[in-house]
Amino acid sequence: TQLLEQSPQFLSIQEGENLTVYCNSSSVFSSLQWYRQEPGEGPVLLVTVVTGGEVKKLKRLTFQFGDARKDSSLHITAAQPGDTGLYLCAGVGWDYKLSFGAGTTVTVRA
Amino acid sequence: GAVVSQHPSRVICKSGTSVKIECRSLDFQATTMFWYRQFPKQSLMLMATSNEGSKATYEQGVEKDKFLINHASLTLSTLTVTSAHPEDSSFYICSASPDPSNYGYTFGSGTRLTVV
C-alpha cells in the first residue's frame, strides 16, 4: 500500500500553461520533500517542507504544505519544456527513511 | 556539496552471475546510505538501509541473501546482486545525506541492470 498518493499520474500541457501536482498522505511524516527525476538519472531534491501551512517558492515553482501536514501540492507557472520530468513527493519518516509517491510524469510541449 | 557517485551506470550480465554496484559519497561521510530499485514508469522502492560498520537492514520482501550490502567505510557502500535473473533487471539507485535532519538526500545517478 502506497502511503503517499500522487495525482495525476500523467500530465501533458502546452508551453506557457500552468499545472498542479498533488500529494496526499495517510500518515504524518517529519517532513515532506519534492523531487524531479529525468530518465536514466537519480531524483534531484527540489524542496523540503516541514511546517503545516508552509509555502515555498522556487522561481516558477510553488510548493504548499497543508495545515495538517498530510497533503502537499506543487504548482508550476508558465511551464517550459525544460520542466518535463517525473515529479515525486516523498515523506521523510522519523527514522529518516523516505517513502515515495507513485510519481507524476509531466510533459510540456513546445 | 553533497555529491553521490554511483558506478557503473549500466551493466549487462548473464543469468546466474553476480553484479556489484558501488555508491560513494564524494565530499562527505555517510554512516547510512539507502538503496532503491525502480521499475520502468514506476516510483522508487526502498530496498535496504546500509549501515557503516554493521549489518544492513532490509525492507520487507527483499531477500538479504540475494542483495548483499557492504558498507565498509564512511564513503562507500556496495550492493551485490547475486545469481542474477532477468526479473532482477531494474534501475538501482543509492542515496545518502551528510545530515538527514538538516539536509535533503542526494541520489546517485543510478545503475541500469539488464540480466540476459
Side-chain angles (χ1 to χ4, degrees), chain A:
Chain A
T1 303
Q2 200 93 41
L3 291 177
L4 287 160
E5 298 288 338
Q6 263 187 260
S7 63
Q9 187 176 358
F10 299 97
L11 200 52
S12 180
I13 61 171
Q14 201 69 36
E15 181 177 5
E17 294 181 339
N18 302 332
L19 69 94
T20 302
V21 178
Y22 299 93
C23 178
N24 294 294
S25 170
S26 57
S27 304
V28 176
F29 293 95
S30 66
S31 62
L32 192 140
Q33 298 179 335
W34 284 92
Y35 291 83
R36 178 169 165 267
Q37 184 182 22
E38 297 197 30
E41 297 289 332
V44 175
L45 178 66
L46 296 174
V47 77
T48 300
V49 287
V50 180
T51 307
E54 187 174 5
V55 177
K56 283 192 174 179
K57 294 198 174 195
L58 187 67
K59 296 184 180 178
R60 293 177 295 100
L61 278 60
T62 302
F63 303 87
Q64 291 189 309
F65 202 17
D67 291 339
R69 297 175 64 240
K70 284 191 171 184
D71 57 284
S72 181
S73 64
L74 156 61
H75 182 79
I76 301 179
T77 304
Q80 299 175 0
D83 295 324
T84 292
L86 177 65
Y87 289 83
L88 296 155
C89 66
V92 183
W94 304 102
D95 55 1
Y96 301 118
K97 288 184 181 179
L98 295 182
S99 297
F100 281 90
T104 297
T105 299
V106 171
T107 303
V108 182
R109 304 185 304 275

Side-chain angles (χ1 to χ4, degrees), chain A residues 2 6 9-10 33 35 37 40-45 48 86 88-89 92 95-103, chain B residues 34 36 38 41-46 49 57-59 91 93 95 100-101 103-110 112:
Chain A
Q2 200 93 41
Q6 263 187 260
Q9 187 176 358
F10 299 97
Q33 298 179 335
Y35 291 83
Q37 184 182 22
E41 297 289 332
V44 175
L45 178 66
T48 300
L86 177 65
L88 296 155
C89 66
V92 183
D95 55 1
Y96 301 118
K97 288 184 181 179
L98 295 182
S99 297
F100 281 90
Chain B
F34 296 95
Y36 299 83
Q38 184 178 31
K41 300 193 184 302
Q42 293 188 24
S43 189
L44 283 75
M45 295 299 295
L46 179 64
T49 303
T57 53
Y58 291 81
E59 297 300 301
F91 193 54
I93 313 174
S95 77
S101 62
Y103 298 96
Y105 286 94
T106 301
F107 286 78
S109 55
R112 171 71 61 195

